[in-house]
Amino acid sequence: MWKIKIADGGNDPYIWSTNNFVGRQIWEFDPNYGTEEHRAEVKKAQQKFWENRFKVKPTSDLLWRMQFLREKNFKQTIPPVKIEDGEQITYDKATAALKRTVNFFSALQASDGHWPAENTGEFFFLPPLVMCLYITGDLYNQFTVEHRKEMLRYFYCHQNEDGGWGLHIESHSSMFCTTISYISMRMLAQGLDSSAIKKDSFDGGLKWIHDHGGVLTVPSWGKAWLSMLGLYDWAGVKPLPPEFWLLPSYLPMHPAKMLCYCRLVYIPLSYLYGKRFVMKTTPLLLELKDELYTQPFDQIKWSSARHLCAKEDLYFPPPFLQELLWDSLYLFVEPFLNRWPLKKLRQRALEKTMNLIHYEDENSRYVTIGCVEKVVCMLACWVEDPNGDAYKKHLARVPDYIWIAEDGMKMQSINSQSWDAALGMQALIAANLTDEIGPVIKLGHDFLKKSQVDTDPYGDFKSYYRHISKGSWTFADKDHAWQVSDCTAEGLKVCLHLSMMPSEIVGEQMEPERLYDSVNILMSLQSKVNGGVSPWEPPGAGAWLEKLNPIEFLEDIIVEHEYVECTSSTIQALVLFKKLYPGHRKKEIEHSIAIATRFIESIQMPDGSWYGNWAICFMYGTWFALGGLAAVGKTYYNCAAIRRAVEFLLRTQQTDGGWGESYNSCTNKVYTPFEDNHSNLVHTSWAMMALIHAGQMERDPTPLHRAAKLLINSQTEEGDFPQQEICGVFMRNCMLHYALYRNYFPLWALAEYRRRVPLP
């Protein structure tokens, strides 16, 4: 039986930590763990998900929840609350409903103070890891039979009815993800008994590929992975010359100006391309070479396939000039770089890329910035030295990415410990029940204090294109080490709020110097041009560089951009900080708040909403925007932007009192409700809190009462909320499952409703 382990570094000599592994969450299979009753409970959850897999596609993330609730002997002691039609919500009923969800959420806290959670949903996360370990020969060493069975379960559970796999768990089938999923399944199935193999799933995947013309039209990332497996030819891949990393820094196309996530994918990919790495063939690969194409492999004209992309995958069509660039590099540049004497330049470029990879790996304790980057960096380290320590250190951190739920085993995007803790803690603080849950607040506070990054990247970090990180919080844990502005702002808000509460209840407050460091990094990430705040590194590169985006299924991936969420979080944190520390950098902070406020007002959509970049979509963006505007004293009566936003929110409220928004809002950039106009509880929570920011209770509280009724009546017996549609997003087109959103956002909305809306 599977069990989750918290803050456990194990005995691997190739792993180390900056804070004794606080925040680490890894899974272990123990055949002796649990009783027959517990195993039956897990099987029941797996079967229920399977039977409903086409209705609710995100998992309820039940396995670790079952373990925690069982270990803590959790029993909900407050009876369910039901609001009948025509009934007024009283303060007592709102309090009872709030306490029920607070009790449940508190029971989910881990021993180190964070809340574990699934953070995944893409089908280009797990397959590259499987393919990488197959290439290195460690797939069957790293993953036991039990691991591989659960990975296959994940593929089975999320296969679309047409036989393919989508970019994410709710999307239509795509050539990229169907291809790499099918290949990975074939690799995972090697040596397993027939009971673990669903032949119709394999047959359906291959049929989808054939029905859509074979894998020749797989997008560029797929072309690169297949080339490394010997299932494609590097001649059909857009050129990725490693010499790019030798360019002088003053050039507008220098890699230092690239978005960090993009940069850390293409550094190792350019190394692998520069080496033209192809693994030694195997019997399985020979079979796949025959299966995946609709024409003989040795008759394919690979250079003609370079720009092919299946229509199902094409979200960002490359302009003609970009295609001309790739062809020119292939025809006129690559031939020279591979001949003497310029071949020496290639060797220097390969050394440069590996130096950059090793620097990133060491700074992140071999976690790296994210799962896509993790795998290609790990493979590059193996190609450089199969027996080297760098590869072994990478292997030691693979468990950090593995997650299991009732739908099987998958790969996390990066983990979201600090993000979830900061938001969950604010929800608990808003509940104003500290006397009852003091130990929970204190433990969460301790986690956040131990998770703050307290150093900059080591050495001459600017020469490695890195920004300062001291004082930040990451999206994940401290070892991850990558600063994020909204994670920092939300973490700072929690610590500031708790500094105003009795230390004997919530723990010692954070030292002012550490708060100053947080403020410093937030202001360093603000654009001097428009006042907006970017997530990871200072903005500055020209937006025109996005025209060079080689990734057909992502958008806004080449350079840093400013976002409403990051900007609003920063405003709220700085306003609170200024109140508590009025003498620290007063004029700078006031200026920062002022230009950030103007940025938020300037990017409002014509319909009154704000586009949300990190969750679905206009409800999320509007909640953040109104939170930022309210923090600086803007109201419905003195701010036209708030009035337009309120009109948008009231106009989009559903008949059941809630709000619901399709993920198509993100991809089409136009507000799009669900086809049947049903509500989503997380979206409802965002809209409800946005209206509270706008003072709706002072004008007409009826919309808030209707929304609160929906939340209260949707609670489960335990005080949980049902899992509904996927809620997160990144780069416009990729949806991400945040499994804890269904817990702390309804909790937070009910807390604000009880606290700020007059009730009888």
Side-chain angles (χ1 to χ4, degrees):
M1 189 169 169
W2 292 95
K3 65 179 181 180
I4 193 170
K5 301 173 72 175
I6 301 298
D8 190 319
N11 299 313
D12 195 318
Y14 291 100
I15 191 171
W16 74 100
S17 174
T18 57
N19 65 350
N20 202 26
F21 300 101
V22 168
R24 193 174 193 230
Q25 47 191 32
I26 58 174
W27 287 89
E28 175 184 86
F29 183 78
D30 182 350
N32 300 315
Y33 178 69
T35 65
E36 286 301 322
E37 182 182 356
H38 298 154
R39 294 186 185 94
E41 188 181 18
V42 170
K43 287 182 179 179
K44 182 180 178 181
Q46 292 169 336
Q47 184 61 30
K48 183 178 180 181
F49 184 88
W50 175 258
E51 292 171 355
N52 293 281
R53 66 191 185 280
F54 297 127
K55 298 176 184 176
V56 180
K57 297 188 176 183
T59 173
S60 294
D61 206 14
L62 292 178
L63 269 61
W64 74 270
R65 293 168 181 245
M66 291 175 176
Q67 177 185 330
F68 274 30
L69 297 176
R70 186 169 60 242
E71 291 173 350
K72 297 181 181 183
N73 294 314
F74 172 77
K75 301 291 182 186
Q76 182 60 261
T77 57
I78 303 173
V81 179
K82 179 73 173 177
I83 307 298
E84 302 294 342
D85 291 343
E87 180 184 358
Q88 246 188 332
I89 302 176
T90 65
Y91 183 83
D92 287 344
K93 283 205 168 185
T95 299
L98 177 61
K99 284 186 175 182
R100 294 181 82 248
T101 190
V102 166
N103 289 349
F104 182 79
F105 184 62
S106 298
L108 298 179
Q109 188 179 35
S111 57
D112 64 357
H114 87 283
W115 281 263
E118 176 175 330
N119 186 252
T120 185
E122 311 306 314
F123 270 94
F124 58 90
F125 287 179
L126 179 60
L129 176 63
V130 173
M131 293 186 291
C132 171
L133 293 176
Y134 184 82
I135 290 170
T136 66
D138 278 307
L139 179 62
Y140 310 115
N141 299 324
Q142 191 74 17
F143 296 135
T144 65
V145 167
E146 297 299 332
H147 283 87
R148 291 188 281 139
K149 284 181 178 178
E150 290 301 327
M151 289 178 179
L152 286 174
R153 184 195 304 277
Y154 183 64
F155 287 113
Y156 299 154
C157 280
H158 294 289
Q159 187 171 23
N160 289 333
E161 292 179 89
D162 64 5
W165 287 268
L167 192 63
H168 55 83
I169 57 176
E170 290 190 3
S171 76
H172 65 268
S173 299
S174 71
M175 182 61 74
F176 177 37
C177 290
T178 300
T179 297
I180 60 176
S181 293
Y182 177 76
I183 292 171
S184 299
M185 288 170 63
R186 291 293 308 277
M187 293 171 174
L188 292 168
Q190 297 293 293
L192 296 184
D193 60 64
S194 59
S195 64
I197 310 299
K198 289 184 180 291
K199 186 175 182 299
D200 58 340
S201 180
F202 287 80
D203 292 344
L206 187 58
K207 183 178 185 302
W208 192 95
I209 292 171
H210 285 172
D211 288 348
H212 292 79
V215 302
L216 200 61
T217 59
V218 72
S220 56
W221 283 6
K223 287 176 167 67
W225 274 107
L226 266 63
S227 295
M228 290 184 274
L229 292 168
L231 302 177
Y232 214 86
D233 192 288
W234 281 110
V237 178
K238 295 173 183 177
L240 303 169
E243 289 78 9
F244 180 57
W245 308 97
L246 297 176
L247 292 174
S249 59
Y250 58 78
L251 292 178
M253 294 170 59
H254 190 269
K257 298 176 174 64
M258 292 174 66
L259 175 68
C260 51
Y261 274 87
C262 184
R263 187 168 73 234
L264 289 166
V265 168
Y266 282 98
I267 290 173
L269 275 183
S270 66
Y271 174 82
L272 295 163
Y273 175 86
K275 299 277 285 189
R276 296 298 196 279
F277 170 76
V278 181
M279 75 169 291
K280 184 179 179 181
T281 195
T282 67
L284 172 60
L285 293 177
L286 291 175
E287 291 176 15
L288 288 169
K289 191 178 286 189
D290 288 336
E291 292 175 9
L292 294 172
Y293 293 90
T294 57
Q295 57 187 300
F297 186 85
D298 56 5
Q299 295 180 18
I300 296 172
K301 188 177 180 182
W302 296 104
S303 59
S304 300
R306 188 176 304 120
H307 304 305
L308 296 180
C309 181
K311 67 180 187 300
E312 293 81 6
D313 298 65
L314 191 59
Y315 178 68
F316 183 86
F320 170 74
L321 286 177
Q322 187 189 128
E323 295 186 354
L324 184 63
L325 171 64
W326 305 131
D327 288 340
S328 299
L329 285 172
Y330 179 76
L331 292 172
F332 305 116
V333 178
E334 276 293 306
F336 290 100
L337 291 174
N338 282 288
R339 294 175 185 166
W340 188 90
L342 290 181
K343 201 167 185 177
K344 291 184 176 180
L345 186 64
R346 163 102 352 147
Q347 185 57 40
R348 184 179 159 211
L350 292 172
E351 292 170 0
K352 170 74 170 181
T353 54
M354 282 310 306
N355 186 31
L356 292 170
I357 291 168
H358 290 316
Y359 184 84
E360 159 61 15
D361 289 343
E362 288 290 326
N363 262 298
S364 65
R365 271 55 63 183
Y366 287 80
V367 175
T368 70
I369 195 171
C371 64
V372 176
E373 297 76 11
K374 162 77 176 175
V375 173
V376 282
C377 284
M378 179 165 65
L379 182 57
C381 288
W382 181 84
V383 171
E384 181 194 38
D385 184 358
N387 298 309
D389 284 354
Y391 174 63
K392 293 173 184 176
K393 291 174 182 176
H394 263 297
L395 283 180
R397 283 292 190 172
V398 167
D400 293 61
Y401 280 93
I402 300 303
W403 194 260
I404 185 168
E406 62 271 25
D407 63 341
M409 183 171 283
K410 68 287 301 259
M411 189 176 192
Q412 298 273 68
S413 68
I414 177 54
N415 292 309
S416 53
Q417 300 97 316
S418 294
W419 176 248
D420 284 329
L423 295 178
M425 285 286 287
Q426 288 180 77
L428 292 174
I429 292 168
N432 196 25
L433 297 170
T434 307
D435 290 344
E436 300 178 32
I437 57 167
V440 175
I441 298 289
K442 187 174 186 178
L443 191 59
H445 190 197
D446 184 63
F447 168 75
L448 285 172
K449 288 186 290 185
K450 289 178 178 176
S451 298
Q452 187 189 32
V453 178
D454 53 11
T455 62
D456 289 325
Y458 73 84
D460 182 15
F461 58 87
K462 290 185 178 180
S463 68
Y464 291 90
Y465 324 134
R466 288 294 300 267
H467 186 57
I468 60 173
S469 57
K470 186 179 182 181
S472 69
W473 275 271
T474 74
F475 187 65
D477 57 15
K478 184 180 179 183
D479 286 342
H480 178 241
W482 267 95
Q483 69 283 349
V484 191
S485 60
D486 52 357
C487 298
T488 299
E490 299 299 336
L492 176 59
K493 284 163 62 181
V494 172
C495 292
L496 290 171
H497 280 299
L498 294 180
S499 72
M500 297 183 282
M501 298 169 69
S503 59
E504 60 269 20
I505 296 176
V506 302
E508 294 299 320
Q509 70 179 66
M510 182 175 275
E511 299 86 345
E513 291 74 18
R514 294 174 66 185
L515 303 176
Y516 299 162
D517 289 338
S518 298
V519 168
N520 182 60
I521 194 166
L522 287 175
M523 292 201 294
S524 77
L525 293 171
Q526 184 173 34
S527 169
K528 304 299 185 289
V529 177
N530 61 30
V533 178
S534 54
W536 299 282
E537 295 172 326
W544 64 269
L545 287 170
E546 293 290 353
K547 296 293 184 183
L548 299 178
N549 175 14
I551 309 169
E552 301 89 341
F553 54 87
L554 298 176
E555 187 178 358
D556 289 346
I557 188 68
I558 298 300
V559 299
E560 275 278 14
H561 296 273
E562 303 86 357
Y563 297 104
V564 64
E565 300 97 325
C566 301
T567 307
S568 172
S569 290
T570 298
I571 288 175
Q572 294 176 56
L574 291 180
V575 167
L576 183 56
F577 176 84
K578 179 173 171 285
K579 176 183 175 182
L580 298 178
Y581 295 89
H584 183 77
R585 300 176 68 174
K586 183 174 184 289
K587 289 185 177 180
E588 292 176 75
I589 289 174
E590 288 176 347
H591 175 70
S592 178
I593 292 170
I595 61 174
T597 303
R598 288 198 293 270
F599 172 78
I600 288 180
E601 291 179 317
S602 73
I603 61 171
Q604 187 176 28
M605 303 290 285
D607 67 356
S609 67
W610 279 266
Y611 181 89
N613 300 274
W614 307 110
I616 302 169
C617 172
F618 293 97
M619 298 303 156
Y620 187 71
T622 302
W623 169 53
F624 267 99
L626 293 185
L629 294 177
V632 299
K634 301 279 187 178
T635 71
Y636 181 87
Y637 301 103
N638 67 18
C639 180
I642 291 181
R643 292 195 293 274
R644 289 194 297 270
V646 169
E647 291 173 6
F648 165 76
L649 291 167
L650 296 180
R651 186 171 64 248
T652 53
Q653 189 172 24
Q654 302 295 343
T655 56
D656 63 0
W659 284 262
E661 189 174 3
S662 165
Y663 75 77
N664 289 317
S665 288
C666 302
T667 55
N668 300 333
K669 302 171 193 171
V670 176
Y671 168 72
T672 309
F674 293 116
E675 288 184 3
D676 62 355
N677 291 313
H678 71 270
S679 294
N680 178 288
L681 299 178
V682 176
H683 302 168
T684 298
S685 301
W686 294 333
M688 190 175 168
M689 289 191 287
L691 284 173
I692 291 173
H693 282 313
Q696 183 65 32
M697 55 280 183
E698 300 163 5
R699 297 181 300 277
D700 175 15
T702 304
L704 298 172
H705 294 322
R706 293 174 61 214
K709 175 185 174 183
L710 177 65
L711 293 182
I712 292 170
N713 288 346
S714 298
Q715 273 191 324
T716 68
E717 288 289 325
E718 289 184 317
D720 195 1
F721 291 92
Q723 179 61 54
Q724 296 174 288
E725 294 83 6
I726 202 165
C727 283
V729 67
F730 63 95
M731 306 312 170
R732 314 287 192 194
N733 195 38
C734 293
M735 307 307 133
L736 198 59
H737 178 35
Y738 288 77
L740 277 174
Y741 275 16
R742 79 170 192 270
N743 293 109
Y744 56 69
F745 279 124
L747 188 164
W748 199 347
L750 287 175
E752 295 292 352
Y753 172 77
R754 170 181 174 265
R755 186 169 69 93
R756 298 186 60 184
V757 179
L759 297 172

